Amino acid sequence: MEFAELIKTPRVDNVVLHRPFYPAVEGTLCLTGHHLILSSRQDNTEELWLLHSNIDAIDKRFVGSLGTIIIKCKDFRIIQLDIPGMEECLNIASSIEFEVIEDGWHSFLPEQEFELYSSATSEWRLSYVYKGFAVCPSYPPIVTVPKSIDDEALRKVATFRHGGRFPVLSYYHKKNGMVIMRSGQPLTGTNGRRCKEDEKLINATLRAGKRGYIIDTRSLNVAQQTRAKGGGFEQEAHYPQWRRIHKSIERYHILQESLIKLVEACNDQTHNMDRWLSKLEASNWLTHIKEILTTACLAAQCIDREGALILIHGTEGTDSTLQVTSLAQIILEPRSRTIRGFEALIEREWLQAGHPFQQRCAQSAYCNTKQKWEAPVFLLFLDCVWQILRQFPCSFEFNENFLIMLFEHAYASQFGTFLGNNESERCKLKLQQKTMSLWSWVNQPSELSKFTNPLFEANNLVIWPSVAPQSLPLWEGIFLRWNRSSKYLDEAYEEMVNIIEYNKELQAKVNILRRQLAELETEDGMQESP
């Protein structure tokens, strides 16, 4: 549920505004999803626009049928609103009087994530070389790097990697100590340029006798073409302990065109089976899903089954790279399949890692004016997560609605979480001061209940999804939800929830009866003993 859905009375007339140094103003009070607005519609009278996030506390008073709300703001202002009608006053007050239980902006800081595995290894450290965003604007101020590599070496490696994105830790597998790193492509160019600091950084993660895998999310042909533009890939001669694997994951306009074709197919009202199947196949959407999941499974297999280290990159390291590192963690790490763990994953592997949400999600499938950088990269990732959730319905703490909610907020949100293209831009926009984090809202108990999977049972095992074409259906919850009613599915879901709750009640009663039976047997045994 969005904040706007909690607004019981969106408009009240004849409200009187009192504030310091201004005469009282009578006008119309309006509540939106982000502002409280009072307009008198009189000339030379300033309107009141108050952000909900600026409200620190409110008090309510009533005299007869007249209600008064005193709003105390974070900038120390105190505003009084006289509202005719007790019901209207209570509705306005309850709409803006919600408590932020946690500050989502500080819920998943790099230092907190580092502490989760720092006790299991001493081979890594936090580096503040990116503080101020001078070295790389798309990385966060704090990154995790091998302890044996100093910041001066990191600066040199940054000049050798696309956009300054040198290899950093993405995931630490506690089971065997193997890791996933991510980066931008090396800038080898046509002359085969090398960087010894880069080679040292990557090799610093290898253990004696171990080999590593470099998973390049581009085809070999595409990777070779980038050399003419100054890019490239790691040469075997300079990285002898690493095996390079190329996996072709599409990006940019190809993905955007795929989404447009898919949505067009879903909106086709001809009800012709051959036409539907032909259009669905022509969109290639499910092919992209298969390619991404296959690469993620490969990365997970290298980590868990072969005990090898992984470095993943494409060109920039901000799109397909993040899809693969995120999905590999969902396969390997049970925490990533919980609500808070998945939120931490989105923060760490997408927001802090510099996925350009502002560019990629500027427009969706209907707009005629297409820009170069638009692509449904994040939507594809969410679709892949849904595919795994569908195959392992009891292993995820969150449900499908949680993924749909994230999709909606990535494209349009009243919260600041997905605004901007990287941490540097969010810092310049001062989003932490001007907006509320999406996590502050979602993590309220009343909201979490809507996104909790009633079938969830903690599963500490690695889960291996099938990538066979027969196992990858269309995500109807996203692409067909406006084309057909979900009434019966919703009713079935509610019935399932009721059955599960009833089963829990019966199980609790069984446990009570068992305890009572055990107590009676104990008492009988004591009475029979001489």
Coordinates of all heavy atoms in Angstrom, one line a residue, residues 80 121 124 235 259 266 270 281 334 341-342 417-418 525:
Q80 N -0.5 25.7 12.7 CA -1.8 25.3 13.2 C -2.9 25.4 12.1 O -3.0 26.3 11.3 CB -2.2 26.3 14.3 CG -3.6 26.0 14.9 CD -4.0 26.9 16.1 OE1 -3.1 27.2 16.9 NE2 -5.2 27.3 16.1
T121 N 36.7 -14.1 7.8 CA 37.9 -13.9 7.0 C 38.6 -12.6 7.4 O 37.9 -11.6 7.8 CB 37.6 -13.9 5.5 OG1 38.8 -13.6 4.8 CG2 36.5 -12.8 5.1
W124 N 40.1 -9.3 3.8 CA 39.5 -8.2 3.1 C 39.4 -7.0 4.0 O 39.5 -7.1 5.2 CB 38.1 -8.5 2.6 CG 38.1 -9.7 1.6 CD1 38.1 -11.0 1.9 CD2 38.2 -9.6 0.2 NE1 38.2 -11.7 0.8 CE2 38.2 -10.9 -0.3 CE3 38.2 -8.5 -0.7 CZ2 38.2 -11.2 -1.7 CZ3 38.2 -8.8 -2.0 CH2 38.2 -10.1 -2.5
Q235 N 43.9 -10.5 -20.9 CA 44.7 -11.4 -21.8 C 45.3 -12.6 -20.9 O 45.7 -12.4 -19.8 CB 45.9 -10.7 -22.4 CG 45.5 -9.5 -23.2 CD 44.9 -10.0 -24.5 OE1 45.2 -11.0 -25.1 NE2 44.0 -9.1 -25.0
L259 N 11.1 -5.5 -24.7 CA 10.0 -5.2 -23.8 C 8.8 -4.6 -24.6 O 7.7 -5.0 -24.3 CB 10.5 -4.2 -22.7 CG 9.4 -3.6 -21.8 CD1 8.9 -4.7 -20.9 CD2 10.0 -2.5 -20.9
C266 N 1.1 -8.8 -25.4 CA 0.2 -9.0 -24.2 C -1.1 -8.2 -24.4 O -2.1 -8.5 -23.9 CB 0.9 -8.6 -22.9 SG 2.2 -9.7 -22.5
T270 N -6.7 -10.1 -30.3 CA -7.3 -10.9 -31.4 C -7.6 -12.4 -30.9 O -8.4 -13.1 -31.5 CB -6.3 -11.1 -32.6 OG1 -5.0 -11.6 -32.1 CG2 -6.0 -9.7 -33.2
E281 N 7.3 -15.3 -29.0 CA 8.7 -15.7 -29.4 C 9.5 -14.6 -30.0 O 10.7 -14.5 -29.7 CB 8.5 -16.9 -30.4 CG 9.9 -17.5 -30.8 CD 9.7 -18.6 -31.8 OE1 8.6 -18.8 -32.3 OE2 10.7 -19.3 -32.1
P334 N 21.1 -18.0 1.5 CA 19.7 -18.0 2.1 C 19.3 -16.6 2.6 O 18.1 -16.3 2.4 CB 19.8 -19.0 3.3 CG 21.0 -19.8 2.9 CD 21.9 -19.0 2.2
G341 N 17.2 -9.3 3.7 CA 18.4 -9.7 2.9 C 18.3 -9.3 1.4 O 19.3 -8.8 0.8
F342 N 17.1 -9.4 0.9 CA 16.9 -8.9 -0.5 C 16.9 -7.4 -0.6 O 17.5 -6.9 -1.6 CB 15.5 -9.4 -1.0 CG 15.3 -9.3 -2.5 CD1 16.0 -10.2 -3.3 CD2 14.5 -8.4 -3.0 CE1 15.8 -10.0 -4.7 CE2 14.3 -8.2 -4.4 CZ 15.0 -9.1 -5.2
T417 N 14.6 6.5 -3.1 CA 15.6 5.4 -3.2 C 16.1 5.2 -4.6 O 17.3 5.0 -4.8 CB 14.9 4.1 -2.6 OG1 14.5 4.4 -1.3 CG2 15.8 3.0 -2.7
F418 N 15.2 5.2 -5.6 CA 15.6 4.9 -6.9 C 15.9 6.1 -7.8 O 16.0 6.0 -9.0 CB 14.5 4.0 -7.6 CG 14.4 2.6 -7.0 CD1 13.4 2.3 -6.2 CD2 15.4 1.7 -7.3 CE1 13.3 1.0 -5.7 CE2 15.3 0.4 -6.7 CZ 14.3 0.1 -6.0
G525 N 3.1 -42.0 36.6 CA 4.3 -42.8 37.0 C 4.7 -42.5 38.4 O 5.2 -43.5 39.1

